[in-house]
Amino acid sequence: MYIKLQATMLNITHKSSLCGVEERVRNNTEVQSAAFAGVNFCHFKLERKMFHSSTQKKSWTFHNEAEVNKLRQENIQTFVEKHRGDLQDENIRDHFLTFQEERLLCRHYEHLLRDFCRKFEPPMPPTVMATACTYLKRFYIHNTVMNYHPKWIMMTCVYLACKVEEFNVSIMQFVANLQENREKGTELILNHELLLMQHLNFHLIVHNPFRPLEGFLIDIKATAFTYLKRFYIHNTVMNYHPKWIIYVTEALVGKSNRDLLKQTVEQIKRIRYMVKHIDPLDAGKIQYLEEKLERCRNQELNPESEIYRRKLEEKLQAEEDETFIKDKEFLR
């Protein structure tokens, strides 16, 4: 409740401040550029301060991809050592999922998550999809799909993201978007919700790139207004097409921030490379991995397995016995 209230207050404050400034300067072109620039500066200053003090920065931002993959590989190795039994080393790769195979499965379910959010009714804001996808990625940094099947973890991520991003849908509205048994879906999603939050360390606020995008668009507008006023000082209006207006980098990062500009460009290049170089998924390979996962997954954590149901019944029975004994002692 506190997290939700905090997020709501920040969101309202941000939107009202921007709307207020825009309304005051809408009909005043002389001060509009300065006003937008001031709003943008405050916006980015607050956003940066919030991110650098956030759990996302402290607990979920890593130095590079290798650091994340190392944690994932350790999870798989731990699982294999615990469940291999008498299996010989040469047979381990055939029985358990490898690191590369698990990554393919996770990518497949990330794709399904985005597709589910895109088709969701009522229409879902993009921040819900982004937060849900972040939850899914975080969950499988410290867990393996062989312990927790991504199908219902994925759905639980979306359901939890709806709450955190204040997209108000009931569980019945949510499962109405499922293609299969909705009663079963309701039970599994609600049963996984607390588990998911625990494995996320209750770090539920996600800083998505949508708000920085809004600030960036404001920045472009402020820069354009400043440049347009200078545009008419010279005879450029007599020689060039109006669309040939240059986006001046000095207006964005300042002449004294060349190192910042260089660092930003390098980061953008790395992100662009990662986004562009994504291999397409092979449907046949995914089907094979789904079948392999069913053979090697931990049945004690499979809600649809007999051993899971038996252990659950034993746990419930033990709790009832403990309650009965306490009540009996109390009545003596």
Side-chain angles (χ1 to χ4, degrees):
M1 178 63 73
Y2 171 76
I3 291 174
K4 187 174 182 181
L5 179 60
Q6 184 184 47
T8 305
M9 291 176 65
L10 287 171
N11 194 35
I12 292 173
T13 302
H14 170 73
K15 288 182 179 178
S16 61
S17 62
L18 286 180
C19 293
V21 172
E22 289 178 345
E23 181 66 29
R24 288 194 299 272
V25 301
R26 183 171 296 155
N27 298 318
N28 189 339
T29 56
E30 291 298 320
V31 299
Q32 195 167 34
S33 173
F36 277 117
V39 170
N40 185 49
F41 175 76
C42 295
H43 167 84
F44 276 114
K45 188 174 181 181
L46 175 61
E47 191 73 27
R48 183 175 181 181
K49 183 178 180 181
M50 290 173 62
F51 176 76
H52 281 279
S53 61
S54 69
T55 56
Q56 181 168 333
K57 171 66 174 176
K58 295 175 182 177
S59 302
W60 301 103
T61 302
F62 302 89
H63 292 96
N64 49 48
E65 190 78 2
E67 185 180 357
V68 178
N69 289 338
K70 182 175 181 291
L71 293 171
R72 290 168 172 164
Q73 288 172 326
E74 288 173 353
N75 295 328
I76 295 174
Q77 186 62 36
T78 301
F79 181 89
V80 170
E81 292 301 322
K82 182 177 180 180
H83 296 277
R84 63 181 295 176
D86 298 329
L87 202 64
Q88 300 298 313
D89 290 345
E90 58 269 21
N91 298 324
I92 285 179
R93 289 180 62 88
D94 293 331
H95 182 73
F96 295 105
L97 292 177
T98 65
F99 168 75
Q100 290 78 12
E101 289 173 338
E102 178 160 311
R103 286 294 85 223
L104 277 177
L105 264 184
C106 284
R107 278 186 54 205
H108 170 63
Y109 278 94
E110 288 167 10
H111 173 77
L112 293 180
L113 184 153
R114 293 192 298 271
D115 193 54
F116 176 76
C117 292
R118 180 175 59 84
K119 298 176 181 178
F120 194 89
E121 290 294 336
M124 181 181 289
T127 51
V128 176
M129 180 278 296
T131 296
C133 199
T134 302
Y135 288 165
L136 188 63
K137 289 177 181 293
R138 288 181 181 182
F139 184 87
Y140 286 112
I141 289 177
H142 300 294
N143 293 286
T144 169
V145 299
M146 292 180 282
N147 263 332
Y148 301 103
H149 197 290
K151 179 179 180 180
W152 293 109
I153 295 296
M154 174 195 80
M155 287 298 173
T156 310
C157 286
V158 179
Y159 181 65
L160 180 60
C162 287
K163 294 182 177 181
V164 173
E165 295 296 336
E166 298 184 316
F167 177 61
N168 297 316
V169 291
S170 67
I171 185 63
M172 298 310 297
Q173 288 176 295
F174 188 89
V175 298
N177 288 270
L178 301 181
Q179 299 297 322
E180 53 190 88
N181 189 317
R182 292 169 183 174
E183 183 178 348
K184 173 186 172 184
T186 300
E187 179 184 356
L188 289 173
I189 289 171
L190 294 179
N191 285 344
H192 281 89
E193 188 175 16
L194 180 58
L195 171 77
L196 173 61
M197 289 191 289
Q198 288 173 334
H199 284 270
L200 295 176
N201 295 325
F202 296 93
H203 298 160
L204 304 183
I205 298 298
V206 175
H207 292 258
N208 291 310
F210 295 99
R211 184 174 290 180
L213 175 61
E214 294 174 3
F216 179 69
L217 295 176
I218 292 173
D219 215 337
I220 292 178
K221 192 172 184 179
T223 304
F225 282 146
T226 301
Y227 189 76
L228 277 174
K229 289 188 293 184
R230 296 176 60 193
F231 185 77
Y232 287 95
I233 296 175
H234 305 285
N235 288 327
T236 47
V237 69
M238 309 294 294
N239 305 108
Y240 299 100
H241 195 287
K243 69 179 180 181
W244 294 352
I245 298 177
I246 300 171
Y247 186 67
V248 184
T249 56
E250 282 82 355
L252 291 177
V253 298
K255 295 182 179 180
S256 61
N257 289 326
R258 285 304 183 182
D259 291 339
L260 174 60
L261 176 60
K262 183 177 179 181
Q263 180 184 357
T264 303
V265 170
E266 290 300 321
Q267 294 281 14
I268 292 172
K269 285 181 179 179
R270 282 196 287 270
I271 294 171
R272 184 171 179 268
Y273 178 86
M274 291 174 67
V275 172
K276 279 190 69 176
H277 294 79
I278 300 177
D279 297 327
L281 294 169
D282 184 328
K285 179 70 172 177
I286 295 299
Q287 180 61 36
Y288 164 75
L289 294 178
E290 291 275 20
E291 294 170 359
K292 187 176 181 180
L293 175 59
E294 287 304 316
R295 295 193 299 269
C296 69
R297 64 185 295 196
N298 183 2
Q299 295 301 321
E300 292 185 2
L301 296 176
N302 177 10
E304 299 173 286
S305 71
E306 182 60 36
I307 186 172
Y308 178 90
R309 285 192 288 268
R310 186 172 69 249
K311 284 184 173 293
L312 181 61
E313 289 174 0
E314 291 173 356
K315 181 180 179 181
L316 292 174
Q317 185 60 51
E319 290 176 353
E320 287 181 8
D321 293 344
E322 184 179 355
T323 302
F324 176 77
I325 292 172
K326 287 182 178 179
D327 291 343
K328 189 175 180 180
E329 292 177 350
F330 177 76
L331 294 173
R332 282 182 181 175

